Amino acid sequence: AKQTNNLQLLEKNYLRLSEIHEKSGNSKKALEAYKNYVDVRQKINEEEKRRQDEMAKKQVDAEKREKELKLQIVDQELQNI
C-alpha cells in the first residue's frame, strides 16, 4: 500500500512537472517528464492488475476449501447413518 501511494505521488508529480516545462516552453524536458509519468502510470496499473489477480486466486481457493469442507461434512453424515 505504501509503495502504491508513493507511486501515485510520483505519477502526479511527473505530470505536473511535464505541464510546468510545457508552459515554460521547454518541450524536451516536458516530454521527458511525461514519459516518466507514463512509465509510473504503467507500473501502477501492473501492480493493480497483480493485486486483482491475487485476490481472485484467493477467492477461488477459499471457495474450493468451502466446497471440500461441505463434502467432508456430507461424507461424515452419510457414515453416521
Side-chain angles (χ1 to χ4, degrees):
K2 184 178 180 183
Q3 182 168 351
T4 300
N5 290 338
N6 290 341
L7 286 175
Q8 289 172 339
L9 182 60
L10 189 59
E11 172 198 26
K12 288 177 185 178
N13 287 336
Y14 276 131
L15 185 58
R16 286 184 192 139
L17 184 60
S18 174
E19 292 167 351
I20 290 168
H21 285 308
E22 183 180 20
K23 287 178 182 177
S24 67
N26 194 338
S27 59
K28 185 177 179 179
K29 285 190 177 186
L31 179 59
E32 183 181 324
Y34 190 78
K35 286 180 179 180
N36 288 332
Y37 158 78
V38 170
D39 288 343
V40 172
R41 178 80 241 149
Q42 185 175 2
K43 287 179 187 176
I44 291 170
N45 289 340
E46 289 169 357
E47 188 174 303
E48 181 63 28
K49 171 85 169 91
R50 182 191 54 77
R51 201 169 325 136
Q52 288 175 354
D53 290 347
E54 260 181 39
M55 287 176 56
K57 185 182 182 321
K58 286 180 182 180
Q59 180 68 29
V60 168
D61 290 346
E63 289 171 1
K64 184 178 177 182
R65 283 192 303 272
E66 183 180 350
K67 287 179 183 178
E68 288 172 355
L69 288 173
K70 286 180 180 179
L71 285 174
Q72 287 176 357
I73 291 170
V74 169
D75 284 344
Q76 284 180 339
E77 288 175 351
L78 288 174
Q79 289 176 2
N80 291 338
I81 293 180

